[in-house]
Amino acid sequence: MGLFENPYPAAPASEWEDIINNDYAKSLAREIDRDSIVLLKNDAQTLPISKDKKVAVIGPMADGFMNYGDYVVYRSQYRGVTPLAGIRSAIGNDSVSYAQGCERWSNDESGFSEAIAAANSADVAVVVVGTWSRDQRELWEGLNATTGEHVDVNDLSLVGAMRPLLRTIIATGKPTVVVFQSGKPLTEPWLSNTTASLVQQFYPSQEGGHALSDILFGDVNPSGKLSVSFPHSVGDLPVNYDYYNSGRALDPGFVGADNNLYFGHQYVLGTPEPWFPFGYGLSYTNFTYGNFSLSPAGNVSASDSLTATVSLTNSGQRAGAEVVQLYVKDLLASVDGPNMLLKGFEKVYLEAGETVQVEIPLDVQDCGVWQGRPGRMRWVVEKGDFVVMVGGGSGDLRVNGTFTVT
């Protein structure tokens, strides 16, 4: 292999600028980043923001460092496009005001007055909060972080003054966009009772600020979907879409938008249902599902392959992409199994008004269960009925059909 003769086969230093951090790499990072951003809430239609608006950028995660997470090159968090830099690049410095509001690791609220002034001087406020980590050297030196190797938390809420900062800016009455920038779900379900829009940007790339601004200003229609469910509270965990069936009825409680308490039983004022479920993600347009079919239809064998076909229409006014997701539910199995399982998906781009036929393959062999004792278990596709459900997420299943294994 030549490992001893040529142990360090790196490119010459003279070529580094051409092959590392080049225009193609930056463009790809920006594309991947914006495709992974998830629009969680937009009922007041604050997004997308018109580029002729004045925007206040607020929050401890908005500037000063890149929120990459850990396992990154030493001090790389101080290189890259921050949310503030991305927004300024998109609409110009004169249209952007900035206030940090608070430090991410502090309860100090002395910067709130500056943040309020920035929000009041703008048409829209964008508040960037979340979790953070550091490169390994800083982590092992003991610098503060809320995610990362050997960093554990007992709560998934925002820390320090970040939640009070959000409440304060929303209370100004200015249209507000909250951006979660984090490496894990955050539990701030009180936001559902506000008019604020909510965007999830998991730990970004070096082009994170540009990618975020692409979404905020509508240059790109959001199409990201959650790869994990968001609980209402850490006490509700585990919250997963593929939960095992239970004989007990669900009786959750909640704190209403009217601030009244609505009591349930198993969770009293909580719920095992997610705040945002696996596969969830909104768009600036709407998608309509219809004309679902399975081929072959009816009876199949364990060795057969099926094709699920659904008609998908962009029924809104903007072009956009939808991730069509296929889930399978085994109606009766000899062993306890998940309520349903994701078995396929297809991302489809549609112009406004366009309709396409989306096909997703399904191997019946993938719909089995493990039977037997430990050490002697075998994968078996049991006879019986299976329901195929298709939609925009595990909590948004629009059409379905059934096949029978004989």
PDB file of all heavy atoms in Angstrom, residues 58-72:
ATOM      1  N   ILE A  58     -31.149  39.990  17.434  1.00  0.00           N
ATOM      2  CA  ILE A  58     -30.990  40.016  18.887  1.00  0.00           C
ATOM      3  C   ILE A  58     -30.619  38.614  19.366  1.00  0.00           C
ATOM      4  O   ILE A  58     -31.022  37.610  18.778  1.00  0.00           O
ATOM      5  CB  ILE A  58     -32.310  40.473  19.557  1.00  0.00           C
ATOM      6  CG1 ILE A  58     -32.665  41.905  19.118  1.00  0.00           C
ATOM      7  CG2 ILE A  58     -32.241  40.374  21.077  1.00  0.00           C
ATOM      8  CD1 ILE A  58     -34.079  42.327  19.475  1.00  0.00           C
ATOM      9  N   GLY A  59     -29.842  38.565  20.441  1.00  0.00           N
ATOM     10  CA  GLY A  59     -29.591  37.279  21.072  1.00  0.00           C
ATOM     11  C   GLY A  59     -28.123  36.920  21.175  1.00  0.00           C
ATOM     12  O   GLY A  59     -27.301  37.327  20.353  1.00  0.00           O
ATOM     13  N   PRO A  60     -27.784  36.109  22.162  1.00  0.00           N
ATOM     14  CA  PRO A  60     -26.380  35.766  22.407  1.00  0.00           C
ATOM     15  C   PRO A  60     -25.789  34.801  21.384  1.00  0.00           C
ATOM     16  O   PRO A  60     -24.565  34.620  21.354  1.00  0.00           O
ATOM     17  CB  PRO A  60     -26.430  35.111  23.793  1.00  0.00           C
ATOM     18  CG  PRO A  60     -27.812  34.557  23.899  1.00  0.00           C
ATOM     19  CD  PRO A  60     -28.684  35.530  23.181  1.00  0.00           C
ATOM     20  N   MET A  61     -26.641  34.168  20.556  1.00  0.00           N
ATOM     21  CA  MET A  61     -26.127  33.246  19.545  1.00  0.00           C
ATOM     22  C   MET A  61     -26.052  33.905  18.168  1.00  0.00           C
ATOM     23  O   MET A  61     -25.721  33.256  17.177  1.00  0.00           O
ATOM     24  CB  MET A  61     -27.022  31.995  19.435  1.00  0.00           C
ATOM     25  CG  MET A  61     -27.642  31.534  20.731  1.00  0.00           C
ATOM     26  SD  MET A  61     -26.446  31.002  21.959  1.00  0.00           S
ATOM     27  CE  MET A  61     -26.072  29.363  21.385  1.00  0.00           C
ATOM     28  N   ALA A  62     -26.367  35.196  18.099  1.00  0.00           N
ATOM     29  CA  ALA A  62     -26.472  35.869  16.801  1.00  0.00           C
ATOM     30  C   ALA A  62     -25.127  36.294  16.228  1.00  0.00           C
ATOM     31  O   ALA A  62     -24.995  36.443  15.012  1.00  0.00           O
ATOM     32  CB  ALA A  62     -27.393  37.085  16.916  1.00  0.00           C
ATOM     33  N   ASP A  63     -24.133  36.497  17.080  1.00  0.00           N
ATOM     34  CA  ASP A  63     -22.852  37.003  16.591  1.00  0.00           C
ATOM     35  C   ASP A  63     -21.759  36.712  17.625  1.00  0.00           C
ATOM     36  O   ASP A  63     -22.042  36.362  18.766  1.00  0.00           O
ATOM     37  CB  ASP A  63     -22.935  38.500  16.315  1.00  0.00           C
ATOM     38  CG  ASP A  63     -21.820  39.001  15.415  1.00  0.00           C
ATOM     39  OD1 ASP A  63     -21.525  38.320  14.412  1.00  0.00           O
ATOM     40  OD2 ASP A  63     -21.235  40.061  15.706  1.00  0.00           O
ATOM     41  N   GLY A  64     -20.524  36.860  17.191  1.00  0.00           N
ATOM     42  CA  GLY A  64     -19.394  36.701  18.103  1.00  0.00           C
ATOM     43  C   GLY A  64     -18.729  35.348  18.062  1.00  0.00           C
ATOM     44  O   GLY A  64     -17.572  35.204  18.469  1.00  0.00           O
ATOM     45  N   PHE A  65     -19.443  34.326  17.604  1.00  0.00           N
ATOM     46  CA  PHE A  65     -18.865  32.993  17.479  1.00  0.00           C
ATOM     47  C   PHE A  65     -19.771  32.160  16.586  1.00  0.00           C
ATOM     48  O   PHE A  65     -20.928  32.496  16.345  1.00  0.00           O
ATOM     49  CB  PHE A  65     -18.709  32.316  18.849  1.00  0.00           C
ATOM     50  CG  PHE A  65     -19.999  31.780  19.414  1.00  0.00           C
ATOM     51  CD1 PHE A  65     -20.226  30.414  19.477  1.00  0.00           C
ATOM     52  CD2 PHE A  65     -20.994  32.645  19.866  1.00  0.00           C
ATOM     53  CE1 PHE A  65     -21.409  29.920  19.988  1.00  0.00           C
ATOM     54  CE2 PHE A  65     -22.180  32.154  20.378  1.00  0.00           C
ATOM     55  CZ  PHE A  65     -22.393  30.786  20.445  1.00  0.00           C
ATOM     56  N   MET A  66     -19.224  31.069  16.061  1.00  0.00           N
ATOM     57  CA  MET A  66     -19.995  30.120  15.261  1.00  0.00           C
ATOM     58  C   MET A  66     -20.373  28.928  16.136  1.00  0.00           C
ATOM     59  O   MET A  66     -19.511  28.318  16.774  1.00  0.00           O
ATOM     60  CB  MET A  66     -19.189  29.647  14.054  1.00  0.00           C
ATOM     61  CG  MET A  66     -18.951  30.715  13.008  1.00  0.00           C
ATOM     62  SD  MET A  66     -20.487  31.320  12.250  1.00  0.00           S
ATOM     63  CE  MET A  66     -21.083  29.841  11.432  1.00  0.00           C
ATOM     64  N   ASN A  67     -21.646  28.596  16.137  1.00  0.00           N
ATOM     65  CA  ASN A  67     -22.168  27.566  17.035  1.00  0.00           C
ATOM     66  C   ASN A  67     -22.065  26.178  16.393  1.00  0.00           C
ATOM     67  O   ASN A  67     -23.068  25.520  16.130  1.00  0.00           O
ATOM     68  CB  ASN A  67     -23.623  27.906  17.377  1.00  0.00           C
ATOM     69  CG  ASN A  67     -24.103  27.177  18.611  1.00  0.00           C
ATOM     70  OD1 ASN A  67     -23.316  26.684  19.411  1.00  0.00           O
ATOM     71  ND2 ASN A  67     -25.413  27.112  18.760  1.00  0.00           N
ATOM     72  N   TYR A  68     -20.839  25.736  16.139  1.00  0.00           N
ATOM     73  CA  TYR A  68     -20.615  24.493  15.405  1.00  0.00           C
ATOM     74  C   TYR A  68     -20.872  23.230  16.229  1.00  0.00           C
ATOM     75  O   TYR A  68     -21.103  22.167  15.679  1.00  0.00           O
ATOM     76  CB  TYR A  68     -19.163  24.426  14.914  1.00  0.00           C
ATOM     77  CG  TYR A  68     -18.798  25.405  13.841  1.00  0.00           C
ATOM     78  CD1 TYR A  68     -17.602  26.120  13.913  1.00  0.00           C
ATOM     79  CD2 TYR A  68     -19.619  25.611  12.740  1.00  0.00           C
ATOM     80  CE1 TYR A  68     -17.236  27.011  12.924  1.00  0.00           C
ATOM     81  CE2 TYR A  68     -19.263  26.506  11.740  1.00  0.00           C
ATOM     82  CZ  TYR A  68     -18.071  27.207  11.842  1.00  0.00           C
ATOM     83  OH  TYR A  68     -17.711  28.087  10.852  1.00  0.00           O
ATOM     84  N   GLY A  69     -20.782  23.304  17.542  1.00  0.00           N
ATOM     85  CA  GLY A  69     -20.762  22.099  18.347  1.00  0.00           C
ATOM     86  C   GLY A  69     -19.332  21.714  18.675  1.00  0.00           C
ATOM     87  O   GLY A  69     -18.397  22.493  18.482  1.00  0.00           O
ATOM     88  N   ASP A  70     -19.150  20.485  19.186  1.00  0.00           N
ATOM     89  CA  ASP A  70     -17.783  20.065  19.500  1.00  0.00           C
ATOM     90  C   ASP A  70     -17.243  19.197  18.363  1.00  0.00           C
ATOM     91  O   ASP A  70     -17.835  19.103  17.298  1.00  0.00           O
ATOM     92  CB  ASP A  70     -17.720  19.338  20.846  1.00  0.00           C
ATOM     93  CG  ASP A  70     -18.616  18.111  20.895  1.00  0.00           C
ATOM     94  OD1 ASP A  70     -19.434  17.919  19.990  1.00  0.00           O
ATOM     95  OD2 ASP A  70     -18.497  17.341  21.870  1.00  0.00           O
ATOM     96  N   TYR A  71     -16.084  18.588  18.588  1.00  0.00           N
ATOM     97  CA  TYR A  71     -15.376  17.833  17.552  1.00  0.00           C
ATOM     98  C   TYR A  71     -15.136  18.700  16.313  1.00  0.00           C
ATOM     99  O   TYR A  71     -15.428  18.298  15.187  1.00  0.00           O
ATOM    100  CB  TYR A  71     -16.121  16.548  17.195  1.00  0.00           C
ATOM    101  CG  TYR A  71     -16.055  15.523  18.299  1.00  0.00           C
ATOM    102  CD1 TYR A  71     -17.170  15.245  19.071  1.00  0.00           C
ATOM    103  CD2 TYR A  71     -14.861  14.868  18.583  1.00  0.00           C
ATOM    104  CE1 TYR A  71     -17.105  14.313  20.110  1.00  0.00           C
ATOM    105  CE2 TYR A  71     -14.787  13.937  19.606  1.00  0.00           C
ATOM    106  CZ  TYR A  71     -15.916  13.667  20.366  1.00  0.00           C
ATOM    107  OH  TYR A  71     -15.843  12.756  21.383  1.00  0.00           O
ATOM    108  N   VAL A  72     -14.655  19.896  16.552  1.00  0.00           N
ATOM    109  CA  VAL A  72     -14.294  20.808  15.470  1.00  0.00           C
ATOM    110  C   VAL A  72     -12.856  21.271  15.697  1.00  0.00           C
ATOM    111  O   VAL A  72     -12.297  21.115  16.782  1.00  0.00           O
ATOM    112  CB  VAL A  72     -15.237  22.026  15.407  1.00  0.00           C
ATOM    113  CG1 VAL A  72     -16.638  21.601  14.997  1.00  0.00           C
ATOM    114  CG2 VAL A  72     -15.284  22.769  16.740  1.00  0.00           C
TER     115      VAL A  72
END
